[in-house]
Amino acid sequence: MTEAASPPVMVERDGAVALVHLNLPAKRNALTAALVTALTSALDGLASDRSVRAVILTGAGGAFCAGGDLGGMDASDPLAATAMLRACQGIVRRIATLPQPVVAAVEGAAFGAGFSIALACDLVVVAPSSRFCAAFGKVGLMPDLGLLWSLPQRVSLGRARELLMLCDVLGGEAAVAERIADVLAPDGQVLSTALSRAQRLAEAAPGAVAAIKRVLAAAPQSLEDVLRAEEVGQALLITTADHGAARTAFFEKRAALFEGR
């Protein structure tokens, strides 16, 4: 199959883990309209698939995502630009609210909106050769796709200002050292390391993971807001079959097997 005939997003399965590949290597997986539409559809399908317990998001061709497709933007039409931005924002919303945990496997560049998408994920796996840059300022734009929300959750507000305004490039080792990324893997082993982490996440209780994501996605919140969210979530989870099975496993001194019900 030629690249021209390849879909812009490819999804494959490894047991309970879904691997979502951004697949426009000639554009370093930039957010073209076709890729955004395909990724939106893929995420919607995964959200309702109870057999999927964890998701990996990665890019083909040695890059994660180069950000927005500058060549496809019509700067003369603000309404069209806003519509495209909202479609891209929908990707971040879906990642943040997906009931399954999402692991970003970042090889190569995660620039601009690609940086935003990586940080919307629950876990970020990188290699020393991975590169992050809030490149928006280099083309006279402000950060979008939630980076002004997600980056300050990982670094201090002062450091976020520096990264967002100066548009410095960070390698994988520096990103992990600053907690912008979570796991450092050797070059060439990012996807396999991400798969190992995703398989562990797939063994967790799905209801509990979804509840954790739901509350954290609403951050920052007051203590009272979090306590109220706990009341709602815990009251539901305590009645699930997964909780009952885990209680039995606890008293029998064995590992629990969660089924998502």
Side-chain angles (χ1 to χ4, degrees):
M1 180 179 291
T2 65
E3 181 181 313
S6 298
V9 172
M10 300 178 67
V11 180
E12 60 177 326
R13 290 288 296 272
D14 189 314
V17 178
L19 294 89
V20 180
H21 301 263
L22 308 183
N23 189 43
L24 287 179
K27 285 182 169 287
R28 296 195 302 155
N29 305 315
L31 298 177
T32 66
L35 188 147
V36 170
T37 298
L39 182 55
T40 299
S41 178
L43 293 173
D44 284 344
L46 294 173
S48 59
D49 189 341
R50 292 173 63 86
S51 70
V52 174
R53 300 279 287 273
V55 176
I56 293 174
L57 182 62
T58 192
F64 180 74
C65 175
D69 179 25
L70 290 179
M73 294 180 183
D74 184 358
S76 67
D77 187 347
L79 292 180
T82 299
M84 183 60 178
L85 175 60
R86 287 175 176 166
C88 293
Q89 288 173 336
I91 292 171
V92 170
R93 286 193 180 97
R94 284 167 171 81
I95 292 171
T97 60
L98 206 69
Q100 304 96 330
V102 183
V103 180
V106 179
E107 295 187 90
F111 278 23
F115 193 2
S116 306
I117 289 173
L119 262 59
C121 297
D122 301 294
L123 193 71
V124 182
V125 180
V126 300
S129 60
S130 303
R131 293 176 296 137
F132 294 89
C133 180
F136 303 92
K138 292 185 176 182
V139 291
L141 299 175
M142 68 176 288
D144 58 24
L145 274 62
L147 193 60
L148 288 163
W149 174 81
S150 58
L151 184 60
Q153 294 188 44
R154 287 180 168 266
V155 300
S156 70
L157 190 57
R159 182 57 172 147
R161 287 192 181 100
E162 188 175 32
L163 289 168
L164 295 172
M165 294 179 182
L166 295 180
C167 306
D168 289 335
V169 177
L170 286 183
E173 292 185 30
V176 171
E178 295 200 39
R179 300 305 298 169
I180 290 170
D182 303 296
V183 180
L184 184 67
D187 283 321
Q189 297 183 32
V190 170
L191 190 55
S192 61
T193 301
L195 181 58
S196 177
R197 292 300 177 105
Q199 288 168 338
R200 289 180 58 192
L201 289 167
E203 295 172 357
V209 170
I212 290 166
K213 288 194 61 170
R214 184 167 57 250
V215 176
L216 291 179
Q221 300 181 85
S222 69
L223 174 60
E224 287 302 319
D225 288 337
V226 172
L227 294 177
R228 282 192 290 270
E230 289 175 8
E231 291 178 14
V232 175
Q234 207 72 303
L236 293 173
L237 290 171
I238 205 167
T239 65
T240 62
D242 275 348
H243 174 63
R247 281 173 55 88
T248 300
F250 174 82
F251 289 116
E252 293 178 355
K253 294 182 171 55
R254 58 177 174 81
L257 179 63
F258 296 109
E259 298 181 358
R261 55 188 182 87

